[in-house]
Amino acid sequence: GMPFIFRGEMVLIHNWLVSLSESIVEKRPSLLVLYAMVLTFQGRGHDAEAKLLMAEKVKLENKDLIGQIAAIRDMQAIPQNDIKEILIQSKSALENLNPDNLPVRSITQWTRGFAYQNSGDRASAIKTFNSVIPISKSSGNIMATIAASTCLGQVLESQNQLDHAEETYRSIIKDIGVPPWPSICEAYLGLARIFYDRNNL
């Protein structure tokens, strides 16, 4: 099934990792990479990078793990809006990740779309988001679904395709259900902007 981390269970995973002895974690690159991913989602990029460096001290022969490391560094470049780094790391991630690793591949495809969106390549952004959303939905990757759908709505909104943008924002709210994730606030904000633009106060 879908890993807990992509279903929003970061606190659960973090608490489990903290409960393990450092010697256990440090000897297992897969645990270090998982730890780094949790820390990245928590906005603790510096701590995450330290875990990745420890993982890289071990001779990594698992291509999927190498791809996960690139994917994490890809995500760390998002807050800095470092388009060049996002594209470099996401390319490396997609080349190394196992084709069956849909959770991480979905997140990585979203970051590529984000890079296109923020570099002004709206056509590539829309194409990328539209390719990610069905995969993330079918695999149960709620995080990637929310992220890609929100960004798609923003791009459509910027192109004044308000009906399509409204439909996209509403689909996020409908699909996530109850209780809603805090991250869907962006969908509500998108709807508010559209209603304001239409003077539908």
Side-chain angles (χ1 to χ4, degrees), residues 38-123:
V38 170
L39 293 170
T40 297
F41 285 141
Q42 292 176 338
R44 297 168 59 189
H46 179 75
D47 294 333
E49 181 61 22
K51 300 294 184 190
L52 294 180
L53 291 173
M54 289 173 66
E56 288 178 326
K57 286 182 180 179
V58 182
K59 185 178 180 182
L60 294 176
E61 297 179 356
N62 184 325
K63 283 191 66 177
D64 188 71
L65 211 54
I66 293 170
Q68 289 182 51
I69 290 172
I72 292 168
R73 288 191 169 127
D74 171 26
M75 287 184 279
Q76 290 174 354
I78 292 280
Q80 285 75 42
N81 199 30
D82 189 339
I83 305 300
K84 182 179 179 181
E85 184 68 7
I86 293 169
L87 292 174
I88 290 171
Q89 294 295 344
S90 63
K91 182 176 184 291
S92 175
L94 293 171
E95 287 174 348
N96 287 287
L97 286 167
N98 190 307
D100 295 331
N101 191 345
L102 295 180
V104 181
R105 293 185 76 86
S106 295
I107 289 289
T108 304
Q109 286 282 24
W110 162 67
T111 60
R112 282 190 77 79
F114 177 89
Y116 294 140
Q117 177 185 1
N118 285 272
S119 63
D121 188 351
R122 295 173 180 172

